[in-house]
Amino acid sequence: MTVCITPVVNYISRFPELLPYNGPDERDKLSEEFLDDQSMDIAMPEDPATFNIESFWGNMASMKNKVTGMSRFGRLSRIAKLVLVLPHSNADAERVFSAVGLNKTKTRNSLALDGTLSSIMT
């Protein structure tokens, strides 16, 4: 399976404060980690439902380079961990809007957002 590193580089470009890998040397090292990851033979479970992505990337972060003793996938695992904490839906925000809609009706339109409505929501 061939995967392109361009989306990873684009992600880094969008969030430079979270991932300080913007220099050409850092991008080259990230590309090397990515290619190393792609060339590994990783045993995957037969049942995808039993695959734990958090422990997988935790193990990847703890792998050491046999020659240098440095983290083998430090940059790549850091990116993966940041991607994994992104919310996958906006359900929480929709619940808040729904609760506000139930409380702030046409007959209760004069509720102040910073006072009465927030007290009712609480």
Side-chain angles (χ1 to χ4, degrees), residues 42-96:
I42 300 172
M44 300 299 277
E46 289 184 25
D47 181 14
T50 63
F51 183 71
N52 186 338
I53 192 80
E54 291 89 2
S55 64
F56 171 80
W57 281 107
N59 291 336
M60 294 290 279
S62 66
M63 285 185 176
K64 302 288 182 196
N65 186 313
K66 293 178 183 177
V67 177
T68 63
M70 302 293 289
S71 178
R72 186 172 171 187
F73 299 107
R75 292 166 183 81
L76 197 58
S77 61
R78 186 170 176 194
I79 293 168
K81 289 176 184 177
L82 285 171
V83 169
L84 289 172
V85 299
L86 294 174
H88 61 278
S89 72
N90 61 349
D92 291 337
E94 292 295 334
R95 280 189 207 101
V96 171

Side-chain angles (χ1 to χ4, degrees), residues 99-100 102-104 108 111-122:
V100 169
L102 292 172
N103 289 304
K104 189 167 180 158
R108 297 171 83 182
L111 291 175
L113 289 176
D114 59 346
T116 310
L117 183 59
S118 62
S119 297
I120 291 172
M121 295 288 297
T122 303

